[in-house]
């Protein structure tokens, strides 16, 4: 499917309480095709009243017997139905994502649509497997009385889910699938750059049979709509994926309100190559770790540590991959890397490359914009061979920019890898299991990969150490994030 096939069907309104709607004040903002810089659509710019309407709908749906008291198997069935609908409408959703986000159509199909279907099906299964425990208490009063005690997990309530623009559909599903499996209701705010697939997802959930108000999608700006959603008194739990900077603001508000909060934040993930590695595998792996999704990945392998003796060989190998990468529209089958998401983001990435150069980094590959109209940045490799780390070694770029650093012994590489405020992901590349496990032990990161990078699965917990976040998504861990424990104590 290409653009012409579906643009007339693009939904451009919010979806609240089972209906499409505009913002109360009629205000809208533009969303763009990042490959060309042209406007695709205008979507509602939600204000306080719109957020209030969405939270009120979610609260009403949460309190209603139709949702909270629905048998878990019925919730499971609805989620499976939604997975089927996402799959059936996969070509349209993938094309919409490529049009609005810029990523390669193949990745939109495989990851945004395929991943969403996989997560929805996995989380559907949890609906029927949420359980508590039975406890034997030691209470001795009054004499002769015994106690039967148990715990049960109850839904956390109304969830505010706020997501970024790098994997718009998949990030939305990472939030809504477990929240709905647990019996919560949701108000989802997609990123202002990429709201289109989230709106369509809400419509498909309606078609699947989710009651009105159970899943609402509001479009708007972070500082207004997002902030209003986070501080709304009708919200019980906030789940946020985005930058550490905004995560701190949201965390403070939630602490003040004593709301439950999960934060998936930024990263500066190290890729540590050991001297026994298979060089070709390490080169391809390190290139994929940083250039996948144009570097717009929270776990992007953006810091590369290479033994000094192999530095030139490995860095030149990755630079070759960068130089040979074909930039273009995500709809073009020949394209290997699409644009960044927005003009603003391209300017930020370009300024960080310029800063790296100004501070003495050597640009080994890329550094330019490929002379194109859209928001392109060439895949870039910067060598930082001096002892003084560049700013770009510390700060998240969130673009296709790798900084490579030589090391003399592994402990030095691990210390450098850990000298970061972030701790989201890391990878180590070696053929020796004992050496791999030593690095796994020592690296401070929520996920450590060995001879691979960026691999995620619905069964595998995911989240950050340090400033990369609080809490874990996926697997059994996610059930705790969307439920509260209720203890029951019965005297007999
Ligand atoms: P962002 O600026 O933090 O925005 C994320 C979301 O928060 C957007 O929907 C944004 O709305 C909203 N927002 C902004 N300010 C807000 C506020 N004051 N109150 C409430 N909501 C607010 O991040 P981004 O640039 O979109 O995404 C890139 C970042 O996400 C990177 O740092 C990346 O590492 C991180 N990320 C983390 C993970 C993970 O799982 N750990 C996964 C993917 C991405 P607007 O769109 O209107 O600004
Ligand atoms: Mg933003």
């Amino acid at each position: 499917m290409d653009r012409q096939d579906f643009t007339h069907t693009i939904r451009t309104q919010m979806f609240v309480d089972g209906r499409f709607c505009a913002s109360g004040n009629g205000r809208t903002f533009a969303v763009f095709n990042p490959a060309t810089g042209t406007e695709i659509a205008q979507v509602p710019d939600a204000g306080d009243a719109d957020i209030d309407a969405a939270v009120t709908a979610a609260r009403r749906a949460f309190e209603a017997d139709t949702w909270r008291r629905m048998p878990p198997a019925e919730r499971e069935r609805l989620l499976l139905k939604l997975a089927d609908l996402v799959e059936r409408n996969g070509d349209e959703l993938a094309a919409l994502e490529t049009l609005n986000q810029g990523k390669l159509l193949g990745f939109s199909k495989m990851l945004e649509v395929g991943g969403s279907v996989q997560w929805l099906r996995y989380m559907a299964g949890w609906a029927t497997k949420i359980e508590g425990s039975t406890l034997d208490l030691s209470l001795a009063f009054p004499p002769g009385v015994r106690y039967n005690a148990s715990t049960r997990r109850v839904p956390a309530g109304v969830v505010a889910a706020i997501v970024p623009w790098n994997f718009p559909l998949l990030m939305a599903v990472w939030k809504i699938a477990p929240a709905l499996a647990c019996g919560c209701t949701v108000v989802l705010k997609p990123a202002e750059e990429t709201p289109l697939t989230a709106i369509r997802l809400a419509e498909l959930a309606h078609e699947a049979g989710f009651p009105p108000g159970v899943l609402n999608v509001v479009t708007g700006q972070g500082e207004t709509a997002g902030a209003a959603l986070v501080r709304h008194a009708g919200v019980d739990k906030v789940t946020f994926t985005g930058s550490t900077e905004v995560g701190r603001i949201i965390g403070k508000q939630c602490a003040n309100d004593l709301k439950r909060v999960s934060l998936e934040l930024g990263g500066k993930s190290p890729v540590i190559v050991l001297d026994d590695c298979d060089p070709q595998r390490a080169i391809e792996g390190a290139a994929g770790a940083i250039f996948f999704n144009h570097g717009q990945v929270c776990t992007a392998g953006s810091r590369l540590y290479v033994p000094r003796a192999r530095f030139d060989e490995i860095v030149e190998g990755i630079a070759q991959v960068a130089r040979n990468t074909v930039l273009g529209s995500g709809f073009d089958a020949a394209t290997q890397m699409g644009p960044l998401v927005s003009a603003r983001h391209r300017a930020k990435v370009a300024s960080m490359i310029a800063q790296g150069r100004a501070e003495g980094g050597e640009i080994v590959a890329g550094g330019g914009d490929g002379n194109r109209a859209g928001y392109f940045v060439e895949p870039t490799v910067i060598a930082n061979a001096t002892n003084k780390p560049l700013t770009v070694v510390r700060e998240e770029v969130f673009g296709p920019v790798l900084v490579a650093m030589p090391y003399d012994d592994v402990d030095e590489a691990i210390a450098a890898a850990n000298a970061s405020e972030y701790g989201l992901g890391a990878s180590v590349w070696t053929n020796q299991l004992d050496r791999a496990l030593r690095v796994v032990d020592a690296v401070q990161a929520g996920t450590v990969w060995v001879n691979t990078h960026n691999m995620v699965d619905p069964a595998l917990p995911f989240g950050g150490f340090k400033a990369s976040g609080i809490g874990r998504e996926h697997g059994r861990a996610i059930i705790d994030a969307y439920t509260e424990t209720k203890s029951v104590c019965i005297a007999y």
Side-chain angles (χ1 to χ4, degrees):
M1 179 182 282
D2 72 10
R3 277 198 67 169
Q4 282 69 33
D5 294 320
F6 71 98
T7 39
H8 63 285
T9 64
I10 292 175
R11 303 333 188 241
T12 57
Q13 289 194 305
M14 305 190 286
F15 199 85
V16 174
D17 211 8
R19 283 185 304 274
F20 282 112
C21 60
S23 61
N25 55 22
R27 273 214 303 266
T28 60
F29 62 90
V31 294
F32 296 92
N33 173 352
T36 59
T38 50
E39 184 178 317
I40 308 167
Q42 291 277 334
V43 298
D45 187 4
D48 284 9
D50 304 303
I51 298 301
D52 184 52
V55 175
T56 302
R59 168 78 28 212
R60 199 184 312 119
F62 181 69
E63 305 294 348
D65 284 353
T66 42
W67 180 244
R68 203 162 29 157
R69 313 241 179 273
M70 181 183 276
E74 192 60 14
R75 285 206 304 274
E76 175 184 34
R77 198 188 59 78
L78 287 175
L79 282 161
L80 291 174
K81 181 96 182 289
L82 178 56
D84 289 347
L85 286 174
V86 169
E87 197 167 52
R88 200 175 311 150
N89 293 279
D91 284 351
E92 178 206 337
L93 284 163
L96 195 53
E97 204 70 293
T98 291
L99 178 70
N100 188 189
Q101 205 277 345
K103 67 183 62 198
L104 307 189
L105 187 59
F107 282 132
S108 290
K109 287 183 178 166
M110 189 172 73
L111 293 170
E112 299 288 347
V113 174
S116 293
V117 170
Q118 187 192 9
W119 254 267
L120 282 163
R121 290 190 176 135
Y122 173 89
M123 291 300 168
W126 271 111
T128 54
K129 289 155 198 76
I130 299 169
E131 59 187 19
S133 51
T134 309
L135 306 153
D136 201 6
L137 303 188
S138 303
L139 282 168
F141 303 98
V145 174
R146 297 271 304 160
Y147 294 90
N148 173 295
S150 60
T151 62
R152 59 178 68 175
R153 308 278 329 179
V154 298
V158 174
V159 170
I162 298 178
V163 293
W165 43 256
N166 58 338
F167 292 95
L169 182 64
L170 187 62
M171 290 294 129
V173 167
W174 280 17
K175 306 296 187 200
I176 68 144
L180 297 176
C182 289
C184 297
T185 59
V186 180
V187 179
L188 169 71
K189 194 203 88 67
E192 64 189 81
E193 292 87 351
T194 54
L196 300 181
T197 48
I199 298 171
R200 184 75 175 109
L201 180 67
E203 188 185 23
L204 291 175
H206 186 68
E207 187 182 332
F210 283 88
V214 167
L215 174 60
N216 309 277
V217 171
V218 291
T219 55
Q221 320 282 319
E223 299 74 11
T224 51
L229 184 56
V230 169
R231 67 169 178 264
H232 197 292
V235 167
D236 301 293
K237 155 95 191 185
V238 178
T239 177
F240 171 77
T241 295
S243 62
T244 293
E245 183 191 357
V246 173
R248 284 200 170 97
I249 297 170
I250 290 177
K252 272 185 201 146
Q253 181 69 44
C254 291
N256 189 59
D257 300 345
L258 296 176
K259 285 184 180 124
R260 282 69 188 128
V261 63
S262 303
L263 302 171
E264 293 283 2
L265 309 177
K268 194 75 209 178
S269 301
V271 173
I272 305 171
V273 173
L274 302 192
D275 55 12
D276 69 89
C277 72
D278 167 351
Q280 202 47 39
R281 193 172 181 193
I283 287 167
E284 284 167 17
I290 183 64
F291 299 140
F292 164 60
N293 210 42
H294 328 159
Q296 301 165 130
V297 180
C298 52
T299 49
S302 51
R303 295 184 288 150
L304 177 69
Y305 296 96
V306 188
R308 197 172 296 278
R310 310 201 68 164
F311 188 73
D312 291 346
E313 168 198 6
I314 302 270
V315 172
E316 181 51 29
I318 299 167
Q320 285 288 353
V321 174
R323 289 183 207 116
N324 292 335
T325 299
V326 179
L327 296 183
S329 159
F331 286 108
D332 186 341
T335 298
Q336 293 170 312
M337 186 182 285
L340 299 188
V341 75
S342 66
R344 187 172 55 181
H345 190 52
R346 178 182 57 180
K348 181 201 152 187
V349 173
S351 87
M352 292 188 77
I353 295 172
Q355 188 180 13
R357 197 194 304 259
E359 289 175 2
E362 181 198 347
I363 310 286
V364 187
D369 62 8
N371 297 317
R372 286 162 184 278
Y375 313 138
F376 291 88
V377 169
E378 291 168 348
T380 298
V381 178
I382 305 177
N384 182 190
T386 62
N387 282 335
K388 188 172 177 306
L390 305 168
T391 304
V392 73
V393 175
R394 281 196 315 277
E395 294 183 3
E396 184 181 46
V397 180
F398 218 58
V401 180
L402 177 70
V403 193
M405 287 152 286
Y407 70 82
D408 292 308
D409 73 79
V410 179
D411 289 341
E412 176 198 334
I414 290 169
N418 286 340
S420 168
E421 71 165 320
Y422 298 112
L424 194 57
S427 63
V428 53
W429 297 77
T430 174
N431 286 319
Q432 294 181 22
L433 184 60
D434 56 336
R435 299 184 79 198
L437 289 176
R438 282 183 204 291
V439 177
V440 168
D441 280 352
V443 169
Q444 297 160 354
T447 303
V448 186
W449 291 284
V450 179
N451 295 332
T452 187
H453 197 109
N454 282 335
M455 292 298 159
V456 289
D457 186 276
L460 187 65
F462 180 81
F465 284 22
K466 303 194 275 186
S468 289
I470 295 177
R472 290 293 178 271
E473 296 196 284
H474 320 331
R476 180 182 287 272
I478 195 64
I479 302 305
D480 291 349
Y482 291 111
T483 54
E484 293 267 11
T485 296
K486 182 178 277 185
S487 295
V488 183
C489 179
I490 305 168
Y492 67 98

